[in-house]
Amino acid sequence: MCGVVSIVYSGNIKRLGKEASSLLKKLEYRGYDSTGGAFVKKDGTIVLRKKVGAPSRVIEELEMTKQSGYKFIGQVRWATYGVVNDINAQPHEVDCFVQMVGAHNGNISNNLRLKEFLVENGHDVVSDNDGEVVVHLIEHFYYAL
């Protein structure tokens, strides 16, 4: 199982990292192979932290509790598509046409065909994870609007 969590405030807050870390730790019981989180600041800056390992370890190693911002999205991943490594950990940040970050929970069975479509249309897909494909697809069609 995977778990995805998110927090949104109206403005930047210093304690966002502490709150986000607490949520990620609560998902550890679901099983994990990697832990990650993205902190978004009002100026659009995205700080992405992700690594192979349990939330209780990764949060401390990546100093996630020290992060601030107004939005957070995080995931505790249990591998489906892609080997267990830091690149396949979620969330994924993309910036081929529009900068965005996201994570997903589930399996995208036509992941490889969608990846081919994205690469043919100018996307730089760097992982073997279906979560990155989802974020690129959103980016692709959002940009087309």
Side-chain angles (χ1 to χ4, degrees):
M1 293 188 290
C2 298
V4 177
V5 293
S6 186
I7 303 170
V8 178
Y9 283 100
S10 60
N12 290 333
I13 63 164
K14 290 182 179 182
R15 71 179 186 278
L16 183 63
K18 289 180 182 177
E19 292 180 10
S21 295
S22 175
L23 289 174
L24 288 171
K25 285 178 182 177
K26 288 180 181 184
L27 292 176
E28 191 163 333
Y29 78 95
R30 296 178 64 90
Y32 59 84
D33 63 45
S34 58
T35 303
F39 301 86
V40 183
K41 299 179 188 277
K42 275 294 205 181
D43 68 2
T45 303
I46 297 173
V47 176
L48 180 62
R49 299 280 189 261
K50 61 184 187 172
K51 188 174 181 177
V52 169
S56 56
R57 183 180 58 93
V58 170
I59 287 166
E60 301 307 318
E61 289 178 5
L62 299 180
E63 299 183 327
M64 292 174 80
T65 59
K66 296 180 180 179
Q67 297 301 317
S68 62
Y70 85 108
K71 291 182 185 177
F72 169 78
I73 184 167
Q75 191 203 43
V76 174
R77 177 177 179 252
W78 189 250
T80 51
Y81 291 100
V83 298
V84 178
N85 64 24
D86 294 348
I87 293 170
N88 286 330
Q90 293 192 58
H92 292 283
E93 181 178 4
V94 302
D95 194 8
C96 299
F97 305 105
V98 178
Q99 184 184 28
M100 60 178 56
V101 66
H104 103 292
N105 186 9
N107 297 316
I108 309 298
S109 60
N110 61 339
N111 177 48
L112 295 177
R113 177 64 193 116
L114 292 170
K115 187 174 180 177
E116 289 172 9
F117 166 82
L118 290 164
V119 170
E120 290 168 4
N121 284 278
H123 292 268
D124 183 22
V125 183
V126 298
S127 79
D128 296 320
N129 181 256
D130 54 346
E132 183 185 10
V133 168
V134 170
V135 182
H136 276 289
L137 284 169
I138 294 167
E139 175 196 30
H140 182 82
F141 290 103
Y142 178 82
Y143 180 74
L145 296 174

